[in-house]
Amino acid sequence: MRKIFVLAVIAFIINACVTQKKRNDVGKVKKAYHDVTAEFNGYFNATELYNASVLSLTEQTPTNYSKLLPIYPYVATENPAAVAADMDEAIKKVTLVAALHGPSHWVDDCYLMAAKAQYLKQDYESAEETLEFLVSEFSPEALLSKEKKKKRAKPTSKKERQKVQKEKTKERNEDKKEREQTAKQKRKEYEKKRKQRNKEIKRQRNAKKKGKKPAPKPKVETPATPTPQIEVPKEEADKKKKEAEDDAANDIKLDEPTGPFKHKPIHQEGQLWLARTYIERDKFDQAAFLLRQLTAKDKLYPEVQKELPVVMAHFAYMQKKYDEVAAPLERAIDLADNRKEKARYTYILAQLEEMSGNNAAAYARYQEVVKMRPSYEMEFSAKVSMLLNKYNSGSASREETVKTLEKMTKDEKNIDYLDRIYFAIAELYLQAGDETNGVKYLELALAQGTTNKAQQAESLLKLAKIYFAKQDYVKASEYYNQALPGISKSDERYPEIEELSGILKEIAKETNTVILQDSLIRVGKMTPDEKRALAFEAKKKQDEERRQLAIDNAKNAKSTPRRRPGVTSTTQVQSKNAFWAYDDRSVKRGRKDFDKLWGDRPLTDNWRRQNAQAAEEFELEEDESDLDLANSGRLSDEQVATILRGVPQSKTQIEAAEAQKYDAMFRLGKLYRERLENLDQAVETLEKLLREYPTTKNKAEAYYQLYLAHKDLGNRVNAQKYLDKLVEEFPESPFTLILTDPTYAEKINSEERNLNTFYDDTYQMFSKGDYQNVHNRLQQVNTKFGADNPLKARFALLTAMTEGNLQGKDAYVRGLREVVKNHPKTDEQKRAREILRLLGERSSSPIPGGGNSDATFKYEPEKLHYIIVVLDPAASLTNSKVKVAEFNRKYHRSDNLRVSNIYLTPKDAERVPLIVLRRFKNAEAAMKYYKNVQLNGTDFVQDSDYLIYPVTQDSYRQIMKTKSVEGYESFFEENYL
């Protein structure tokens, strides 16, 4: 045995030391070495990473059984970044294998694995490029061509060179002989034609001399030049025949397993994955071509044959051609050997039958799913769907179905699926028109649903639609806003829901303003005694709520304070092996959290007893003077003022509240007509506005909106009434002129065109350096187009630049400062600031803003962005930076982000640590990072509360200048979210 081993080693060394061979032209032993190393090292590890990542994405993607299931669940994920780091590592491994083991049969597999990793990351563009290279470079035709070139490679020995030279000389001689024979044949044909032509000319001349009319020239059909028959030597014919046979044999061989480990060429699987990538990129024509090619092949590998119908079903699914999904999916079920896959495909077929209204067929399909013994979640969903389809097909009554579903709620195995059961019951009641019970069970579903966000979103959507139909837009807005985060962006309903949610958010905002200001005005107009009585009732209600909250907290030992989304818990233990009491920081942090929740309690036993005594102790802690006042029905003037804080007291304050109210009513009326297209509500709101505030500043436009609303409703009489009011009360209003003067709109457009042309011509002069003429033209702007023309900011900046060229730097700086001061929140203001900075000057006027800062923020999505993470003052900056760096390595390794820190130090406040991540090329890239933190927050900063925002460089400077992020949160939510 030892001798055999030694001989094998010697043979390997000899084979590896042959220096005449090229890199990819190696011996069998070395090729076997490359094959083994490539397959069982980098490629194997990359495959393991890929399979684990597919499983991870599948498990973390919630299954929404109330919607049509996707063919590939891991493709439907919204968090591909969760496996991005592993996929980057897999790509690195197979790329290294392809570089180091070129002679191996596994190079094409490495390219495919790299493409699959890119696909899993949803980097479809890169995956497409990799797969197109693979399909082209490793096709049987390309491999055959390489084999031929290898055989025709320049020989190394003298004997071989002489043999090749002899064959080339022979080929040249044969080519020469062939050319000579062809030329001889052509000359013979030419001589024959020439003789015929001369004979005919002679005949015609003779006939003319004898006075005879020459006979018509006979048609002579020129015979086609025959292809010269060259006799090919028998030796050459045998050689060509052998080459053809070798080509055919190689073609077959290159499509069959090769090597000692029976490696299968990957070309077919590469075509299949390229088709999948084309589908994800909406290149359906290219995908269809590849799928037809694969279908037409006589021989497919078992793996490709099994996956091909699934991809064809996915192809139809992604185009929403649901009637074409069933046939390939049936084929996929027949070929699948995985029970889970069979159950999933059958469940999709059942859903398709249900969508088409075939409830009996859907029932049968769901029954098949149950028989396949899938996961309990799928089995449970199939059973619920069976009940609903049985009812919809008329085979069961609503009462029987509800009774069966209610019975399912008592099964302990269904404790995690109560939300789905209640949702199903709600659907039954809503189908029967019983809205009261429908809403009741939907609210029960929401109360039970804590983990299944997709099901929770469906319940919220149902409630939103109910309240929307009832025109309760405030409640509808609330439910739509809560539902939106739970809906996948790939869901076809998402764009419509997002748009409607935005509209309702505006309507709810204006509605709440009207309600609030109306209440404040009503209270403001009360007598002092009425205000005191109202304050007393409010105080009683507050005390009762506070008492009840204390009781609830005392009974719930595990209750935790509610936090804003995206803010992590501060009480997580960082190490399983470290005892918390030994960490002084953990003890302080725990004490801080305890005080937040329970207050400053004495160190006694049974401090959190679950009985009524807790409530009694709470009552004793209250201020006895407050209790005396409350019991006697009397409150001090100071208490009344505190409770009724915000209520307008003076006539001026009441007028300001009324102004807010009628402005909100006007905006609400416009929203109803222009955005929601609810004409009745628009008419009701605007007419109420005119009744309550007949002198409103928006009266002319209110008439205009009412005219359009009544016209669209078909109420010609009312439409004419408001048109007459417009003409009578506001004859020169633009709204009146739009409706009465057909040429008015054209005049406005003509003026706008003239203004733009004037500016363009003036700017052209400026570009050519004709500053004096530019100055003269700018003096005419206000006279020609008015001081409030739409381009006044542009003209102001152009004026500053012109004066700078004519009068020097001082005039330039003055003009730029005027632009900054008089044209806030414009591009021209920003440009003026930039120029001032370049000139080493600062704007003399503060930048307008809000809160305790003079900063204003501007949404500039295409500009360079940072990410800032604002930490709790008690947080460990070092630990937080380490966590952020680890997060970046795991999810954003290729982004090359720089992490730094700084402290915000507002006056008379704790130092607030700030982590800064640089840089992101635009808002989209920064928001991708932000959303990744929301999805994978457990890997981000965990030991403190934090806020995270994308910011432009300008916004970052403003935050650093004011030492505060106050005001940025609302700006961020409004513009980025």
Side-chain angles (χ1 to χ4, degrees), residues 84-112:
D86 286 342
M87 290 301 91
D88 287 337
E89 185 65 24
I91 293 169
K92 180 180 175 182
K93 288 180 182 295
V94 293
T95 303
L96 197 61
V97 168
L100 296 179
H101 303 287
S104 168
H105 288 103
W106 293 87
V107 172
D108 54 350
D109 298 75
C110 289
Y111 279 113
L112 180 62

Side-chain angles (χ1 to χ4, degrees), residues 317-558:
Y317 182 102
M318 293 299 287
Q319 296 179 85
K320 297 185 175 63
K321 297 178 179 178
Y322 298 124
D323 55 331
E324 298 178 16
V325 174
L329 215 51
E330 291 273 16
R331 176 73 174 151
I333 293 170
D334 293 338
L335 294 173
D337 52 14
N338 184 302
R339 183 167 52 87
K340 288 184 178 180
E341 288 180 356
K342 282 178 178 281
R344 183 179 186 84
Y345 300 154
T346 307
Y347 196 98
I348 294 172
L349 286 174
Q351 289 181 308
L352 291 171
E353 296 285 7
E354 190 173 358
M355 286 170 61
S356 60
N358 299 328
N359 298 110
Y363 179 90
R365 288 286 189 186
Y366 284 123
Q367 203 169 33
E368 288 178 35
V369 174
V370 174
K371 290 178 182 177
M372 290 177 182
R373 304 298 299 273
S375 65
Y376 184 74
E377 184 179 19
M378 182 176 283
E379 181 183 346
F380 166 82
S381 298
K383 287 179 178 178
V384 172
S385 297
M386 284 170 63
L387 289 171
L388 295 176
N389 279 280
K390 189 175 182 181
Y391 165 74
N392 289 327
S393 64
S395 302
S397 66
R398 178 164 56 88
E399 290 74 16
E400 291 172 342
T401 309
V402 170
K403 187 176 179 181
T404 307
L405 288 167
E406 289 280 11
K407 188 177 179 181
M408 290 177 71
T409 62
K410 298 173 184 176
D411 190 338
E412 289 184 2
K413 290 187 295 183
N414 298 333
I415 193 73
D416 293 330
Y417 307 113
L418 294 177
D419 52 346
R420 298 191 199 176
I421 299 174
Y422 290 136
F423 181 80
I425 296 173
E427 281 196 310
L428 289 170
Y429 279 117
L430 291 172
Q431 286 178 20
D434 187 348
E435 192 176 279
T436 304
N437 275 319
V439 171
K440 170 188 168 185
Y441 278 97
L442 285 173
E443 288 175 347
L444 278 173
L446 286 175
Q448 295 295 332
T450 55
T451 57
N452 192 333
K453 301 299 181 186
Q455 180 57 57
Q456 194 174 28
E458 295 299 327
S459 300
L460 289 164
L461 276 179
K462 283 279 183 187
L463 283 167
K465 289 177 181 177
I466 289 170
Y467 286 110
F468 183 82
K470 294 165 69 174
Q471 297 189 5
D472 188 344
Y473 297 127
V474 174
K475 274 195 172 182
S477 173
E478 180 183 344
Y479 286 122
Y480 271 121
N481 290 338
Q482 291 180 45
L484 194 61
I487 302 170
S488 169
K489 290 188 178 179
S490 59
D491 193 319
E492 59 185 12
R493 303 171 298 171
Y494 187 87
E496 181 184 350
I497 293 170
E498 183 182 35
E499 182 182 6
L500 185 57
S501 175
I503 295 169
L504 292 178
K505 198 172 183 179
E506 291 183 57
I507 288 175
K509 177 185 174 183
E510 303 301 343
T511 302
N512 288 331
T513 300
V514 171
I515 294 171
L516 174 63
Q517 296 305 323
D518 187 63
S519 301
L520 292 175
I521 291 166
R522 190 173 64 253
V523 174
K525 293 180 178 179
M526 286 181 176
T527 63
D529 290 341
E530 289 173 332
K531 289 179 181 178
R532 189 176 296 278
L534 181 66
F536 176 73
E537 292 299 321
K539 180 74 167 60
K540 276 179 61 178
K541 187 176 180 181
Q542 288 175 3
D543 290 345
E544 183 58 35
E545 288 176 354
R546 193 170 60 173
R547 234 179 244 110
Q548 189 59 45
L549 179 63
I551 293 171
D552 292 342
N553 286 341
K555 289 182 178 179
N556 187 2
K558 296 181 180 180

Side-chain angles (χ1 to χ4, degrees), residues 765-776 801-802 805-806:
M765 289 183 181
F766 177 84
S767 301
K768 294 176 181 178
D770 191 358
Y771 304 123
Q772 190 57 53
N773 276 334
V774 171
H775 173 80
N776 296 336
M801 293 191 293
T802 304
N805 279 284
L806 290 173

